[in-house]
Amino acid sequence: MFYRESGDFKTTYAKDTQTFPIKLDRMGYYTILAIAFVVIPTMLVMNVGGGANYWTNAILLPFLIWAIASIGLNILVGYCGQLSLGSGGFMAVGAYASYKLMTSFPDLSIFIIVLLSGAITAGVGILFGLPSLRIKGFYLAVATLAAQFFLVWMFNKVQWFYNYSASGQISAPTRSVFGFEVTGATASAEAKYLFCLVLLVGVAWVARNLTRGRIGRSWMAIRDMDIAAEIIGVAPLKTKLSAFGISSFFIGIAGALFFAVYLGAAEVGEAFGIQKSFLLLFMVIIGGLGSIFGSIIGAAFMVLMPVLLKNIMVGQLNWATDIAAHFEFVFVGALIIIFLILEPHGLAQLWRLLKEKLRLWPFPH
Amino acid sequence: MNATAESYVTEDGRTIGAPVMEMKNITLKFGGVTAISNISFDIREGEIRAIIGPNGAGKSSMLNVINGFYHPQEGEIWFHGEKRKPMKPYQIAQQGIARTFQNIALFKGMSTLDNIMTGRFTHMKTNMLMQAIWKGPAEREENLNRDIVEHVIDFLEIQAIRKTPVGRLPYGLQKRVELGRALAAQPKLLLLDEPMAGMNVEEKEDMSRFILDVNDEFGTTIALIEHDMGVVMDISDRVVVLDYGKKIGDGTPDEVRNNQDVIDAYLGVAHD
């Protein structure tokens, strides 16, 4: 009823191409921002329900960080069509870069450290993107798989990366933004949450801007028909490498946050193994390839689903935890398969269809 | 018509200028197969130049040579009075050569508008940082180019399908969008590879009208490959005829029509 475009005439090209062309969408977007920036932090500070740390560590932080990584991978796979299984390795690059930067430059703001870690990861991503000019599809996936194993091996083998510590682990020292600690053991839940949220909003905004204009169209052109893209003047290698660079930049930021803010201490094989690459790819596919919103919703799905299943099986049905853990794999796996059969274009496409229907509701056509 | 003249005026009042592109003794081989052997011809500024010939004559190979997909073993290509060095296809696009494909090569996941906007790629210059910020130079540039694209959309009468994903469009419209994408680049030379293949009579008439209008209004030089002889003879200023990789005729439609070699190639001739 209220979800209408009719009567809402766009008189400039800028208005015609805005991110949320329908008024109700815009209002919804501002509402979500208000909840994310004001309501949730207030609840965390007041510790409503008594589980501020649990909510932050089990749901909020993983969701925000995986959403950043998911947007990154979606640019590469969904927008530019280059299949990558090296994301776990690239997250490790971001994590170790932030660790080295934090320990080498103790006075540097954590905000700048996270961005620099992203930039370093972008460089590594571009390097491993070089084969993409020659190989495509599954073969490129295998080449990026090499990056995954090589990077994990390198961070285990070269002791300089973990400052020669005996355990082989890296652990984040305490660093703060505007006087609020966001890393280390004493950092408060709301500070960590807000720090990651600001970065997610920033990443989503930049990703949307990049994908709506000249560069985004060149990525999609390479994805859809590389020969035709070339005939229009799109340089294939430069375009693919720019996608690898931007994608790795975001994934590197996510890796740095995952280690410094979320885990606090990490061992590369365990924290950034191949299963993380697959998890991220599932998020992108389930959320919807070629959609920023899809990346975020895909991350939410993959983070929330296991928590929800665990709460139902252990909390409500009183199953043993180990059985519940195994059933969790079965359920999530089955859900992914069912999903891909019913809606191969992901949750974003479902949302799009729902909006199509809403615009016409209560009429069928 | 005097072949050596710098420029001349056609019967319908269009001015045809000096050659913009000259192919000199082009030979293209794939292993032992000679696809094009020792072919020379030119394309003059402002004309509609048709390349015809039976299947396998080397027409599409010729376009691919002009585009830079194939690099000929022998011969020279002169563009705007300069000998062209071996280039990548995207560099040739930056010089102002656009084309459409025999089999539609649109970006299936994008809307009509985005497809045509992609055609503006070489004209858009803002760097990645400006794109990321969007507000300011990137948005201004986007809107300026959108204006040009909207003119193309008006010209091709496809306003109604502006936001439709091209995968959902019928074949004839897809061909039109592909022409729009090439036009949006405002090319100096437009190559059309069978723009009317698989179309019905009305669609062919529309497409012929668009090709003539493009040439007339924007003065775009057009080289086209087409199998429909009626259309070719009707709209082109000069025709070059290929057969088995060799040039067997070159001239006005009337000259070509009466050329004995061309008649033999198309109708077949008894070998004894």
Side-chain angles (χ1 to χ4, degrees):
Chain A
M1 287 287 261
F2 308 103
Y3 198 70
R4 288 279 187 278
E5 280 170 299
S6 55
D8 186 4
F9 299 113
K10 309 285 189 289
T11 48
T12 63
Y13 293 136
K15 277 194 179 147
D16 189 49
T17 51
Q18 62 188 329
T19 309
F20 302 102
I22 296 175
K23 201 177 164 204
L24 199 67
D25 275 346
R26 278 199 297 281
M27 285 156 58
Y29 168 68
Y30 291 127
T31 315
I32 288 173
L33 276 189
I35 292 174
F37 273 100
V38 180
V39 179
I40 292 180
T42 321
M43 284 168 68
L44 289 179
V45 171
M46 289 160 50
N47 206 358
V48 177
N53 276 321
Y54 170 76
W55 285 105
T56 315
N57 285 326
I59 292 171
L60 293 175
L61 286 184
F63 160 65
L64 294 173
I65 292 166
W66 282 113
I68 294 173
S70 178
I71 290 173
L73 189 64
N74 213 335
I75 282 179
L76 189 62
V77 180
Y79 283 96
C80 199
Q82 310 296 310
L83 194 52
S84 166
L85 284 174
S87 342
F90 294 136
M91 283 180 81
V93 174
Y96 278 76
S98 70
Y99 175 68
K100 286 305 282 186
L101 286 168
M102 278 197 282
T103 49
S104 309
F105 306 98
D107 299 327
L108 209 57
S109 160
I110 181 74
F111 194 74
I112 292 170
I113 284 175
V114 167
L115 292 185
L116 278 179
S117 310
I120 290 167
T121 316
V124 176
I126 288 172
L127 194 66
F128 282 101
L130 282 172
S132 67
L133 185 69
R134 291 280 165 181
I135 45 183
K136 291 173 184 168
F138 290 122
Y139 299 95
L140 181 64
V142 173
T144 55
L145 203 58
Q148 165 76 43
F149 286 115
F150 170 75
L151 289 169
V152 168
W153 171 83
M154 185 179 76
F155 290 125
N156 257 326
K157 195 77 183 170
V158 184
Q159 300 187 346
W160 178 78
F161 285 114
Y162 47 88
N163 286 356
Y164 309 96
S165 79
S167 63
Q169 277 201 336
I170 51 174
S171 57
T174 301
R175 293 287 180 273
S176 54
V177 180
F178 302 124
F180 294 102
E181 289 178 2
V182 291
T183 66
T186 50
S188 70
E190 65 272 11
K192 289 198 239 178
Y193 165 80
L194 276 175
F195 184 60
C196 293
L197 179 66
V198 167
L199 280 162
L200 171 62
V201 172
V203 162
W205 182 70
V206 166
R208 160 68 185 158
N209 286 344
L210 285 177
T211 51
R212 82 207 290 199
R214 167 179 183 267
I215 289 169
R217 280 192 298 266
S218 71
W219 288 337
M220 290 188 272
I222 288 286
R223 171 194 72 189
D224 285 348
M225 186 74 73
D226 49 358
I227 289 174
E230 209 173 343
I231 226 78
I232 286 174
V234 177
L237 184 62
K238 202 178 147 197
T239 309
K240 287 177 185 174
L241 289 187
S242 73
F244 265 98
I246 294 291
S247 161
S248 308
F249 178 67
F250 293 160
I251 292 176
I253 288 178
L257 292 177
F258 195 67
F259 152 67
V261 179
Y262 176 59
L263 291 179
E267 193 276 318
V268 61
E270 201 181 317
F272 302 108
I274 179 75
Q275 69 275 20
K276 291 294 192 304
S277 297
F278 281 114
L279 179 66
L280 196 53
L281 196 62
F282 290 153
M283 287 179 186
V284 170
I285 292 172
I286 285 180
L289 290 166
S291 160
I292 307 286
F293 173 73
S295 318
I296 297 173
I297 207 84
F301 184 86
M302 291 302 285
V303 169
L304 280 178
M305 190 49 63
V307 176
L308 193 71
L309 285 176
K310 197 176 171 188
N311 276 346
I312 292 175
M313 288 187 294
V314 180
Q316 305 296 319
L317 302 174
N318 290 320
W319 288 12
T321 24
D322 55 336
I323 293 181
H326 288 113
F327 263 98
E328 192 185 300
F329 287 125
V330 176
F331 278 129
V332 174
L335 272 172
I336 290 169
I337 293 169
I338 291 168
F339 224 94
L340 292 184
I341 292 169
L342 293 182
E343 186 44 90
H345 297 289
L347 290 164
Q349 179 66 15
L350 274 186
W351 179 243
R352 244 173 260 141
L353 290 175
L354 180 73
K355 291 208 291 188
E356 289 278 310
K357 296 260 183 259
L358 260 180
R359 269 156 63 184
L360 300 170
W361 187 84
F363 307 107
H365 300 293
Chain B
M1 189 196 84
N2 185 348
T4 54
E6 270 300 296
S7 66
Y8 66 94
V9 178
T10 58
E11 284 169 24
D12 54 354
R14 289 173 304 128
T15 307
I16 306 294
V20 285
M21 177 153 263
E22 288 168 273
M23 315 293 283
K24 293 182 180 173
N25 308 99
I26 301 287
T27 298
L28 176 71
K29 290 177 184 156
F30 297 111
V33 182
T34 307
I36 299 173
S37 79
N38 198 26
I39 290 182
S40 305
F41 69 97
D42 61 4
I43 302 169
R44 282 165 170 270
E45 185 161 19
E47 77 174 347
I48 298 180
R49 183 68 144 138
I51 304 172
I52 64 169
N55 288 327
K59 307 179 297 292
S60 288
S61 297
M62 197 51 142
L63 280 201
N64 284 338
V65 167
I66 297 178
N67 259 145
F69 276 127
Y70 298 156
H71 297 284
Q73 278 77 11
E74 287 163 41
E76 296 174 354
I77 301 167
W78 288 66
F79 188 54
H80 281 292
E82 277 178 42
K83 188 181 166 188
R84 197 170 83 183
K85 294 186 287 274
M87 282 182 173
K88 295 267 167 57
Y90 69 88
Q91 293 168 318
I92 289 167
Q94 284 160 3
Q95 288 199 329
I97 298 180
R99 90 173 261 189
T100 66
F101 288 83
Q102 189 174 346
N103 314 312
I104 297 169
L106 285 171
F107 308 125
K108 291 271 188 292
M110 296 156 79
S111 68
T112 300
L113 181 63
D114 277 341
N115 266 279
I116 303 180
M117 280 297 281
T118 314
R120 297 293 304 161
F121 184 80
T122 54
H123 297 265
M124 297 173 82
K125 298 287 173 233
T126 50
N127 63 32
M128 195 171 282
L129 189 66
M130 293 179 195
Q131 291 270 311
I133 295 166
W134 191 253
K135 288 285 166 211
E139 190 176 26
R140 262 202 306 283
E141 182 184 65
E142 178 90 358
N143 291 339
L144 281 176
N145 284 286
R146 173 78 188 272
D147 202 44
I148 293 162
V149 165
E150 286 293 338
H151 281 298
V152 172
I153 289 176
D154 279 350
F155 177 79
L156 293 174
E157 296 158 18
I158 47 177
Q159 296 93 336
I161 55 164
R162 198 184 272 127
K163 300 256 169 107
T164 316
V166 289
R168 282 193 213 161
L169 297 175
Y171 180 82
L173 279 180
Q174 290 195 2
K175 280 264 182 196
R176 213 185 276 187
V177 174
E178 201 186 5
L179 176 64
R181 189 178 66 189
L183 283 182
Q186 295 174 321
K188 297 194 185 90
L189 173 60
L190 176 61
L191 310 172
L192 305 173
D193 196 349
E194 301 198 20
M196 286 157 232
M199 288 187 165
N200 64 30
V201 178
E202 284 88 6
E203 288 171 330
K204 278 185 183 175
E205 283 172 355
D206 279 346
M207 191 52 93
S208 306
R209 183 163 56 83
F210 289 132
I211 292 171
L212 288 172
D213 281 352
V214 168
N215 178 252
D216 199 25
E217 281 186 32
F218 309 127
T220 309
T221 310
I222 295 171
L224 73 107
I225 294 176
E226 186 48 58
H227 277 299
D228 187 320
M229 281 308 125
V231 171
V232 168
M233 296 302 171
D234 234 19
I235 68 172
S236 48
D237 295 305
R238 288 191 301 154
V239 181
V240 53
V241 192
L242 309 184
D243 189 24
Y244 291 112
K246 294 190 178 66
K247 185 167 100 169
I248 57 170
D250 189 355
T252 61
D254 280 335
E255 285 169 9
V256 166
R257 197 177 290 147
N258 298 319
N259 182 324
Q260 190 57 46
D261 287 337
V262 177
I263 296 169
D264 289 348
Y266 269 90
L267 297 181
V269 62
H271 296 279
D272 41 27

